């Protein structure tokens, strides 16, 4: 292959870690995005749109080391270092901290957009992926945390994922434990890595190598056991293990949140895990992730970040969640691969012969929610039927001789009926009914 041919071949492909979406797959993504945004709006959240890229320091100075290492950076024309957004929370926090801090609190925002991370590719993780989510800013109350958790549960159910768990942790419980242990930098890093990786051998090695008072050793050894669905029992054990006021406050916070979730009927979906310390670099209170059967990674994650907005302006407490659109779709399919791409089938193909009454009918059909495609080649009879079947339509109308002919394509052989103007409402009603029955083929009895 010549160098020129190699360049052409590369130019015809997408880079690793990004993807094209089209036909039914793209439609499915847009529908889910729209459904979730509509849900968020009904809960009082207003839309927010932020730039796709920011100054690199805006993101890197507020994210974890891991997030910093995953930024997709590039130079601006003036030499400034820019970066594609790696999450949606930091840009929204920047907006609120610099421009909206005088607005009444709390403020509720919802968003949808692509984010970018330079990561090693694996199942459910691309370098460009789509997030939908919410940010609730201006309330430190447990009710705010509970609202975001309850909304996450409602969003998962709306997305067609009835079985899931919300795994909830509390960063301050672990932070209080670190305060009590008073470790040096290296020991603190080793312990944090062991807990973050959920590595029992690494934790046991740390306990063997580090001399600690018995009460501190017990609290650290039992930390991985503070997880499960027995909420009251876990919180009671955590309360007894608390070594200082920071840990006690974390437990009290979880008690208060769970009380609200119980009143909202959401607590049955919650699992506690006080060893969960997943942190993007700005979480200060609860953290949580959503897990679903058949998917080996989180499909949503969020938490409280009371200090982030204050790095841009006035201090404002906040909590939020981001849901990965691709991961939601994978969870809805229970981990199965998507079906082969296929075009969306119209409900009806119409050959109008450029007649005004035909276009009036088409407008009526679209106004009641039908998907109607016009045959631009003015096919007639069998040729129109063959084209409609190729497109996946269940019916076709031929307006060629001035009086419309309806072709039904749901039988072994197409059948046709001459239509009078009085028949039009019945035709539309039949098509709508057929479409509402889970996109089933048009029923014979629904047609005139």
């Amino acid at each position: 292959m010549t160098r020129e041919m190699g360049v052409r071949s590369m130019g015809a492909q997408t880079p690793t870690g990004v993807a094209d979406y089209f036909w039914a797959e793209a439609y499915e993504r847009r529908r889910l995005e729209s459904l979730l945004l509509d849900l968020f709006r009904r809960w009082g959240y207003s839309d927010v749109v932020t730039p796709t890229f920011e100054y690199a320091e805006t993101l890197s100075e507020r994210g974890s080391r891991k997030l910093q290492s995953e930024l997709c950076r590039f130079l601006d024309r003036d030499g400034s270092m820019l970066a594609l957004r790696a999450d949606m929370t930091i840009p929204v926090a920047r907006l609120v901290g610099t421009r909206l801090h005088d607005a009444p609190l709390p403020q509720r925002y919802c968003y949808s957009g692509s984010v970018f991370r330079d990561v090693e590719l694996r199942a459910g993780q691309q370098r460009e992926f789509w997030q939908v989510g919410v940010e609730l800013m201006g309330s430190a109350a447990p009710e705010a945390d509970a609202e975001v958790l309850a909304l996450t549960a409602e969003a998962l159910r709306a997305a067609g994922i009835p079985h899931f768990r919300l795994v909830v942790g509390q960063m301050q419980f672990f932070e209080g434990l670190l305060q009590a242990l008073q470790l040096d930098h290296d020991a603190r890093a080793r312990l944090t890595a062991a807990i973050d990786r959920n590595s029992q051998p690494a934790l046991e090695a740390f306990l063997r190598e580090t001399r600690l008072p018995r009460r501190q050793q017990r609290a650290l050894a039992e930390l991985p056991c503070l997880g499960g669905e027995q909420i009251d029992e876990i919180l009671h054990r955590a309360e007894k293990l608390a070594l200082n006021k920071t840990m006690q406050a974390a437990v009290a916070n979880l008690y208060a949140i769970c009380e609200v979730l119980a009143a909202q009927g959401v607590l049955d979906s919650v699992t506690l895990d006080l060893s969960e310390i997943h942190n993007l670099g700005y979480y200060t209170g609860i953290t949580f992730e959503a897990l679903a059967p058949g998917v080996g990674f989180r499909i949503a994650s969020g938490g409280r970040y009371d200090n982030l907005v204050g790095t841009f302006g006035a201090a404002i407490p906040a909590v939020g969640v981001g849901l990965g659109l691709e991961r939601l779709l994978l969870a809805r399919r229970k981990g199965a691969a998507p079906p082969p791409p296929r075009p969306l089938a119209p409900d009806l193909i119409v050959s109008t012969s450029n007649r005004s009454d035909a276009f009036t009918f088409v407008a009526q059909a679209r106004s009641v929610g039908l998907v109607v495609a016009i045959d631009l080649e003015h096919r007639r009879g069998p040729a129109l039927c063959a084209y409609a079947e190729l497109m996946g339509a269940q019916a076709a109308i031929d307006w060629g001789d001035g009086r419309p002919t309806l072709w039904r394509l749901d039988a072994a052989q197409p059948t046709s009926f001459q239509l009078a103007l009085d028949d039009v409402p019945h035709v539309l009603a039949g098509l709508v009914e057929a479409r509402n029955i889970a996109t089933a083929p048009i029923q014979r009895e629904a047609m005139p």
Side-chain angles (χ1 to χ4, degrees):
M1 185 191 326
T2 67
R3 182 179 183 279
E4 182 180 356
M5 290 176 62
V7 170
R8 286 181 181 175
S9 176
M10 183 177 294
Q13 305 297 320
T14 59
T16 303
V18 298
D20 293 315
Y21 299 98
F22 52 95
W23 289 344
E25 188 176 12
Y27 177 68
E28 183 183 30
R29 290 168 60 88
R30 291 297 191 193
R31 281 195 66 186
L32 180 55
E33 175 192 10
S34 178
L35 181 150
L36 293 176
L37 287 175
D38 285 344
L39 171 65
F40 299 156
R41 292 171 189 135
R42 292 197 300 272
W43 280 55
Y45 288 77
S46 300
D47 292 75
V48 63
V49 178
T50 62
T52 304
F53 56 88
E54 304 263 353
Y55 287 113
E57 65 182 29
T58 299
L59 304 174
S60 63
E61 290 181 357
R62 295 164 176 86
S64 64
R65 289 186 178 180
K66 182 173 183 295
L67 195 66
Q68 294 170 21
S69 70
E70 294 173 352
L71 290 178
C72 299
R73 295 177 170 89
F74 60 99
L75 281 174
D76 200 354
R77 294 187 180 206
D78 64 2
S80 302
M81 183 62 71
L82 306 176
L84 298 175
R85 63 190 177 201
D87 81 345
M88 302 293 284
T89 299
I90 295 176
V92 177
R94 173 192 53 73
L95 173 63
V96 173
T98 57
R99 300 180 60 187
L100 301 174
H101 52 84
D102 290 333
L105 298 175
Q107 300 174 28
R108 292 176 170 89
Y109 298 102
C110 61
Y111 60 79
S112 176
S114 55
V115 296
F116 306 83
R117 294 184 191 173
D118 188 9
V119 296
E120 181 179 347
L121 302 185
R122 58 186 185 273
Q125 177 73 74
Q126 294 275 74
R127 289 199 289 176
E128 178 187 14
F129 52 98
W130 206 266
Q131 278 190 347
V132 292
V134 300
E135 312 292 349
L136 198 168
M137 298 182 166
S139 175
E143 287 81 359
D145 299 302
E147 176 173 308
V148 171
L149 284 163
L151 180 51
T152 302
E154 185 70 16
L156 294 174
R157 286 190 287 266
I161 306 168
H163 305 295
F164 59 85
R165 300 302 301 174
L166 297 176
V167 183
V168 180
Q170 231 291 357
M171 292 294 297
Q172 287 302 301
F173 190 82
F174 183 66
E175 182 60 31
L177 179 58
L178 291 177
Q179 293 171 8
L181 297 181
Q182 296 182 335
L183 303 171
D184 61 38
H185 180 272
D186 290 342
R188 182 179 178 125
R190 283 192 296 118
L191 175 59
T192 301
I195 298 299
D196 191 35
R197 296 197 311 269
N198 196 25
S199 173
Q200 187 64 29
L203 177 59
E204 291 173 354
F206 179 88
L207 289 168
R208 286 195 305 269
E209 298 164 4
T210 308
R211 297 186 63 180
L212 296 171
R214 178 169 298 181
R215 188 164 176 237
Q216 294 182 3
Q217 190 174 47
R218 180 187 171 207
L220 182 53
E222 292 195 23
L223 180 63
C225 303
L226 296 177
E229 299 174 16
Q230 304 301 319
I231 305 297
D232 288 337
E233 177 185 334
I234 293 166
L235 291 179
H236 180 67
R237 288 165 55 196
E239 200 169 27
K240 294 178 68 174
L241 291 171
L243 302 173
N244 50 34
K245 291 183 178 179
T246 301
M247 298 176 74
Q248 292 168 356
V251 176
N253 175 252
L254 286 174
Y255 266 123
I257 293 170
C258 290
E259 183 179 1
V260 180
L261 290 175
Q264 294 178 317
V266 180
L267 195 58
D268 288 346
S269 299
V270 171
T271 297
L272 288 183
D273 184 359
L274 293 184
S275 67
E276 171 55 49
I277 59 171
H278 168 70
N279 193 357
L280 293 174
Y282 46 73
Y283 288 140
T284 60
I286 68 157
T287 63
F288 63 91
E289 60 184 16
L291 305 176
V295 182
F297 36 76
R298 66 179 68 94
I299 58 177
S301 62
R304 173 161 289 281
Y305 51 98
D306 287 347
N307 300 329
L308 180 60
V309 180
T311 65
F312 295 104
I316 297 177
V319 60
V321 64
L323 301 96
L325 197 67
E326 292 87 355
R327 294 184 172 193
L328 292 178
L329 292 170
L330 190 62
R332 189 158 72 181
R333 298 191 301 266
K334 298 182 179 178
R342 56 179 178 79
L344 282 173
D347 299 309
L348 180 66
I349 300 287
V350 178
S351 181
T352 65
S353 297
N354 292 335
R355 294 177 58 90
S356 62
D357 50 353
F359 286 117
T360 298
F361 171 83
V362 169
Q364 285 181 283
R366 289 170 175 164
S367 71
V368 297
L370 293 172
V371 178
V372 182
I374 291 176
D375 174 28
L376 303 177
E377 302 301 323
H378 303 294
R379 296 175 180 88
R380 303 289 310 279
L384 177 62
C385 290
Y387 173 65
E389 288 181 313
L390 180 65
M391 295 298 293
Q394 297 300 315
I397 293 182
D398 179 2
W399 227 279
D401 59 4
R403 187 181 179 194
T405 300
L406 170 68
W407 292 85
R408 297 194 314 206
L409 309 175
D410 57 336
Q413 293 293 328
T415 55
S416 63
F417 301 87
Q418 290 286 321
L419 298 180
L421 290 179
D422 292 343
D423 295 327
V424 169
H426 303 292
V427 171
L428 295 180
L431 290 170
V432 169
E433 180 181 352
R435 187 167 192 246
N436 288 341
I437 304 175
T439 65
I442 294 174
Q443 305 297 309
R444 282 181 176 271
E445 62 270 22
M447 305 299 292

